[in-house]
Amino acid sequence: MSSSGFVCNIFDFIAKKSTKSGEIIIEQDNFPRVFDDFFWDENENTNSKPHIIKYDLQGYTKEKIVAENGEKQSDYFLKMHLQATLILQCQRCLNAIQFDLNSQNLYKFEICKNQNSSENQNFDYDSDDINNDDFDVIYVNENLQFSENNFQLNSFIEDEIILTLPSFPMHKNCSFENNRNKANKINGNSESDSDTDSDSNKPFSNLKNLLNSTKKD
């Protein structure tokens, strides 16, 4: 099980059609950008087992035609499958909420001086099993082309987590709402009373009736 993270030269990894599978412990050291804001603090439950993210990586190249004379060039693709049961924090009641992550994505790695130099290009591949809508492009600065650590798995997975997690995770039937309803009943407030109270906080709730009465006059 990995905690320090896997690093490599992503172009070498893909060119060799390498594969890699493993597990990463879900902890702050591994995912610092999202841990404090989203993940439930497991330290509050000393009996809890550490949660993990399972990953599968598969690299492969694909030839594309880049000139009218049929000249070809290889593109670098990486498939990544992530699977985990994440414990998030409900943004309403602040208690734990379970989120099942199961994502599979395809990425194309490109070397470029700047992002604009490779955007919106449309090439013809040897077969029609892939098109520009099937993958996300990851741009790698040309100065890092031969770097032995231009790909850091933990950071890459964290990016995917950020894109996959709900912005405001909340229970469908949140205990905060249930507790408020129970409090209303204990205080003798029915649902209709609550509705009336909420309407009183809407300054324009009677505007329609006022306009109708004005028309009659």
Side-chain angles (χ1 to χ4, degrees):
M1 186 177 298
S2 171
S3 59
S4 59
F6 168 70
V7 296
C8 71
N9 181 298
I10 191 61
F11 298 104
D12 288 344
F13 182 89
I14 293 174
K16 295 175 182 177
K17 299 181 180 178
S18 303
T19 61
K20 182 173 178 60
S21 300
E23 299 176 345
I24 299 178
I25 301 173
I26 299 174
E27 56 187 6
Q28 189 172 22
D29 290 342
N30 293 327
F31 307 113
R33 287 179 289 155
V34 296
F35 195 91
D36 289 337
D37 293 335
F38 289 98
F39 290 166
W40 176 253
D41 187 3
E42 293 293 332
N43 292 328
E44 294 189 6
N45 184 357
T46 56
N47 296 322
S48 63
K49 296 180 179 180
H51 290 80
I52 60 174
I53 286 183
K54 298 179 180 180
Y55 66 87
D56 290 288
L57 305 178
Q58 178 185 356
Y60 69 93
T61 59
K62 195 166 186 63
E63 288 188 332
K64 65 186 177 185
I65 301 173
V66 296
E68 293 182 357
N69 62 4
E71 180 183 350
K72 296 180 180 180
Q73 176 180 318
S74 293
D75 273 342
Y76 296 82
F77 288 93
L78 179 73
K79 285 183 180 179
M80 182 172 73
H81 179 216
L82 298 178
Q83 190 171 14
T85 297
L86 305 178
I87 306 301
L88 310 180
Q89 186 175 55
C90 174
Q91 298 301 294
R92 177 174 287 164
C93 68
L94 303 183
N95 290 320
I97 178 174
Q98 179 175 308
F99 177 78
D100 294 323
L101 185 150
N102 190 353
S103 66
Q104 184 165 312
N105 291 291
L106 179 64
Y107 306 91
K108 183 174 78 168
F109 286 80
E110 289 192 3
I111 302 167
C112 61
K113 295 180 180 180
N114 56 71
Q115 182 168 323
N116 292 331
S117 66
S118 294
E119 281 185 339
N120 301 321
Q121 293 189 18
N122 187 12
F123 297 103
D124 294 324
Y125 290 96
D126 284 348
S127 59
D128 58 0
D129 61 341
I130 191 170
N131 58 64
N132 283 21
D133 296 328
D134 294 333
F135 54 81
D136 295 318
V137 180
I138 306 299
Y139 298 98
V140 178
N141 188 287
E142 64 176 351
N143 296 327
L144 299 176
Q145 177 180 355
F146 302 106
S147 172
E148 291 300 321
N149 59 353
N150 59 17
F151 178 82
Q152 300 179 358
L153 180 60
N154 283 10
S155 179
F156 198 75
I157 289 179
E158 188 175 31
D159 288 340
E160 183 62 28
I161 291 174
I162 292 172
L163 294 174
T164 305
L165 287 181
S167 300
F168 299 97
M170 289 189 295
H171 297 102
K172 290 184 178 179
N173 297 308
C174 185
S175 59
F176 178 84
E177 286 292 328
N178 294 335
N179 291 337
R180 187 177 70 173
N181 292 336
K182 290 179 181 178
N184 286 334
K185 291 181 180 179
I186 292 174
N187 294 328
N189 297 327
S190 63
E191 291 184 2
S192 59
D193 294 334
S194 299
D195 292 340
T196 303
D197 292 339
S198 62
D199 288 341
S200 65
N201 293 325
K202 300 177 181 179
F204 302 109
S205 59
N206 295 321
L207 182 59
K208 182 178 180 180
N209 293 334
L210 180 61
L211 291 173
N212 289 335
S213 62
T214 304
K215 290 180 181 179
K216 291 180 180 179
D217 296 338

